[in-house]
Amino acid sequence: QVQLVESGGGLVQAGGSLRLSCAARTLSSYSMAWFRQTPGKEREFVAAISLTGSKTYSTDSLKGRFTISRDNAKNTVYLQMNSLKPEDTAVYYCAAKFAIIGTHKYEYDYWGQGTQVTVSA
């Protein structure tokens, strides 16, 4: 069982930045990802990173603004979000899957509780 704890969400003005963190007791055996969800919509993929961090994937529309990274020594995964827009407002979830990286929510076995990100115009 992997317990994931997200932090770093909050209220920010458009154009600002936030860095989300996702921590667990151990993450070195897991590929990690961030998803986001707004009310009434499906949870959507944001970015994923492989076990060692050598591979990353992200949604095309977010490339250049959002960056996923990890520090296995700290058992933490990050999502750096820059140039935020009001449409980035959502609950952001951290997720873990054993071994191979994936981009679909159904591939992920463990989820955090989510952290709210609100971007004001």
Side-chain angles (χ1 to χ4, degrees):
Q1 189 76 13
V2 178
Q3 290 187 315
L4 305 173
V5 179
E6 301 106 330
S7 60
L11 174 64
V12 64
Q13 288 188 331
S17 298
L18 282 175
R19 189 176 79 158
L20 305 182
S21 298
C22 173
R25 290 187 64 184
T26 179
L27 290 178
S28 59
S29 297
Y30 297 88
S31 290
M32 302 297 297
W34 289 95
F35 292 79
R36 68 184 184 183
Q37 189 170 22
T38 54
K41 292 190 176 182
E42 291 283 328
R43 191 168 297 186
E44 65 172 352
F45 172 74
V46 173
I49 189 165
S50 62
L51 294 175
T52 62
S54 61
K55 290 184 181 179
T56 62
Y57 297 112
S58 59
T59 299
D60 286 344
S61 61
L62 298 177
K63 286 181 180 177
R65 295 197 299 122
F66 288 19
T67 303
I68 189 170
S69 62
R70 67 190 296 162
D71 185 340
N72 284 347
K74 295 182 178 180
N75 292 306
T76 303
V77 175
Y78 305 98
L79 183 68
Q80 178 67 45
M81 306 185 294
N82 299 327
S83 302
L84 283 161
K85 304 175 181 180
E87 51 263 42
D88 295 319
T89 296
V91 177
Y92 284 72
Y93 295 90
C94 174
K97 69 180 296 289
F98 186 71
I100 301 172
I101 192 172
T103 61
H104 299 287
K105 60 184 178 183
Y106 303 109
E107 299 179 79
Y108 285 82
D109 301 309
Y110 305 104
W111 294 84
Q113 80 286 354
T115 185
Q116 176 71 46
V117 171
T118 303
V119 184
S120 63

mmCIF file of all heavy atoms in Angstrom, residues 4-6 43 93-95 110-114:
data_model
loop_
_atom_site.group_PDB
_atom_site.id
_atom_site.type_symbol
_atom_site.label_atom_id
_atom_site.label_comp_id
_atom_site.label_asym_id
_atom_site.label_seq_id
_atom_site.Cartn_x
_atom_site.Cartn_y
_atom_site.Cartn_z
ATOM 1 N N LEU A 4 -0.126 8.469 -0.590
ATOM 2 C CA LEU A 4 0.398 9.659 -1.250
ATOM 3 C C LEU A 4 -0.218 10.900 -0.616
ATOM 4 O O LEU A 4 -1.440 10.959 -0.418
ATOM 5 C CB LEU A 4 0.076 9.625 -2.739
ATOM 6 C CG LEU A 4 0.545 8.384 -3.492
ATOM 7 C CD1 LEU A 4 0.007 8.384 -4.919
ATOM 8 C CD2 LEU A 4 2.065 8.304 -3.505
ATOM 9 N N VAL A 5 0.626 11.876 -0.350
ATOM 10 C CA VAL A 5 0.146 13.108 0.259
ATOM 11 C C VAL A 5 0.587 14.283 -0.602
ATOM 12 O O VAL A 5 1.793 14.547 -0.740
ATOM 13 C CB VAL A 5 0.677 13.266 1.685
ATOM 14 C CG1 VAL A 5 0.176 14.575 2.289
ATOM 15 C CG2 VAL A 5 0.267 12.081 2.544
ATOM 16 N N GLU A 6 -0.391 14.982 -1.173
ATOM 17 C CA GLU A 6 -0.094 16.152 -2.002
ATOM 18 C C GLU A 6 -0.087 17.414 -1.151
ATOM 19 O O GLU A 6 -0.778 17.497 -0.123
ATOM 20 C CB GLU A 6 -1.131 16.333 -3.122
ATOM 21 C CG GLU A 6 -1.259 15.178 -4.084
ATOM 22 C CD GLU A 6 -2.519 14.384 -3.853
ATOM 23 O OE1 GLU A 6 -2.968 14.331 -2.691
ATOM 24 O OE2 GLU A 6 -3.048 13.807 -4.814
ATOM 25 N N ARG A 43 -11.430 12.914 -14.937
ATOM 26 C CA ARG A 43 -10.080 13.195 -14.462
ATOM 27 C C ARG A 43 -9.135 13.083 -15.668
ATOM 28 O O ARG A 43 -9.147 12.065 -16.371
ATOM 29 C CB ARG A 43 -9.697 12.204 -13.370
ATOM 30 C CG ARG A 43 -8.440 12.553 -12.620
ATOM 31 C CD ARG A 43 -8.289 11.706 -11.375
ATOM 32 N NE ARG A 43 -9.374 11.948 -10.416
ATOM 33 C CZ ARG A 43 -9.410 11.418 -9.195
ATOM 34 N NH1 ARG A 43 -8.433 10.629 -8.786
ATOM 35 N NH2 ARG A 43 -10.429 11.663 -8.399
ATOM 36 N N TYR A 93 -4.354 15.667 -8.600
ATOM 37 C CA TYR A 93 -4.125 14.404 -7.912
ATOM 38 C C TYR A 93 -2.776 13.811 -8.316
ATOM 39 O O TYR A 93 -2.431 13.790 -9.504
ATOM 40 C CB TYR A 93 -5.214 13.396 -8.258
ATOM 41 C CG TYR A 93 -6.590 13.766 -7.792
ATOM 42 C CD1 TYR A 93 -7.444 14.509 -8.604
ATOM 43 C CD2 TYR A 93 -7.043 13.387 -6.531
ATOM 44 C CE1 TYR A 93 -8.715 14.854 -8.184
ATOM 45 C CE2 TYR A 93 -8.318 13.727 -6.100
ATOM 46 C CZ TYR A 93 -9.144 14.458 -6.935
ATOM 47 O OH TYR A 93 -10.402 14.789 -6.502
ATOM 48 N N CYS A 94 -2.102 13.291 -7.342
ATOM 49 C CA CYS A 94 -0.892 12.523 -7.558
ATOM 50 C C CYS A 94 -1.279 11.042 -7.603
ATOM 51 O O CYS A 94 -2.170 10.607 -6.862
ATOM 52 C CB CYS A 94 0.063 12.796 -6.399
ATOM 53 S SG CYS A 94 1.547 11.828 -6.380
ATOM 54 N N ALA A 95 -0.605 10.274 -8.464
ATOM 55 C CA ALA A 95 -0.913 8.857 -8.590
ATOM 56 C C ALA A 95 0.357 8.041 -8.787
ATOM 57 O O ALA A 95 1.343 8.554 -9.328
ATOM 58 C CB ALA A 95 -1.864 8.629 -9.763
ATOM 59 N N TYR A 110 -2.650 3.767 -7.010
ATOM 60 C CA TYR A 110 -2.670 4.530 -5.764
ATOM 61 C C TYR A 110 -2.850 6.005 -6.074
ATOM 62 O O TYR A 110 -2.228 6.538 -7.001
ATOM 63 C CB TYR A 110 -1.371 4.311 -4.983
ATOM 64 C CG TYR A 110 -1.084 2.860 -4.718
ATOM 65 C CD1 TYR A 110 -0.122 2.177 -5.453
ATOM 66 C CD2 TYR A 110 -1.787 2.168 -3.742
ATOM 67 C CE1 TYR A 110 0.131 0.846 -5.218
ATOM 68 C CE2 TYR A 110 -1.541 0.833 -3.495
ATOM 69 C CZ TYR A 110 -0.581 0.174 -4.240
ATOM 70 O OH TYR A 110 -0.341 -1.156 -4.007
ATOM 71 N N TRP A 111 -3.676 6.643 -5.244
ATOM 72 C CA TRP A 111 -4.022 8.045 -5.461
ATOM 73 C C TRP A 111 -3.926 8.829 -4.168
ATOM 74 O O TRP A 111 -4.237 8.311 -3.083
ATOM 75 C CB TRP A 111 -5.443 8.152 -6.005
ATOM 76 C CG TRP A 111 -5.591 7.572 -7.366
ATOM 77 C CD1 TRP A 111 -5.801 6.259 -7.692
ATOM 78 C CD2 TRP A 111 -5.524 8.287 -8.607
ATOM 79 N NE1 TRP A 111 -5.863 6.109 -9.047
ATOM 80 C CE2 TRP A 111 -5.693 7.343 -9.639
ATOM 81 C CE3 TRP A 111 -5.324 9.623 -8.943
ATOM 82 C CZ2 TRP A 111 -5.686 7.692 -10.990
ATOM 83 C CZ3 TRP A 111 -5.317 9.966 -10.279
ATOM 84 C CH2 TRP A 111 -5.494 9.011 -11.283
ATOM 85 N N GLY A 112 -3.520 10.081 -4.310
ATOM 86 C CA GLY A 112 -3.573 10.987 -3.181
ATOM 87 C C GLY A 112 -4.974 11.560 -3.027
ATOM 88 O O GLY A 112 -5.877 11.274 -3.822
ATOM 89 N N GLN A 113 -5.126 12.407 -2.024
ATOM 90 C CA GLN A 113 -6.445 12.980 -1.722
ATOM 91 C C GLN A 113 -6.758 14.191 -2.589
ATOM 92 O O GLN A 113 -7.897 14.649 -2.626
ATOM 93 C CB GLN A 113 -6.519 13.369 -0.243
ATOM 94 C CG GLN A 113 -5.856 14.696 0.107
ATOM 95 C CD GLN A 113 -4.335 14.664 0.103
ATOM 96 O OE1 GLN A 113 -3.715 13.604 -0.063
ATOM 97 N NE2 GLN A 113 -3.711 15.827 0.266
ATOM 98 N N GLY A 114 -5.766 14.701 -3.268
ATOM 99 C CA GLY A 114 -5.966 15.852 -4.142
ATOM 100 C C GLY A 114 -5.648 17.165 -3.448
ATOM 101 O O GLY A 114 -5.789 17.290 -2.227
#
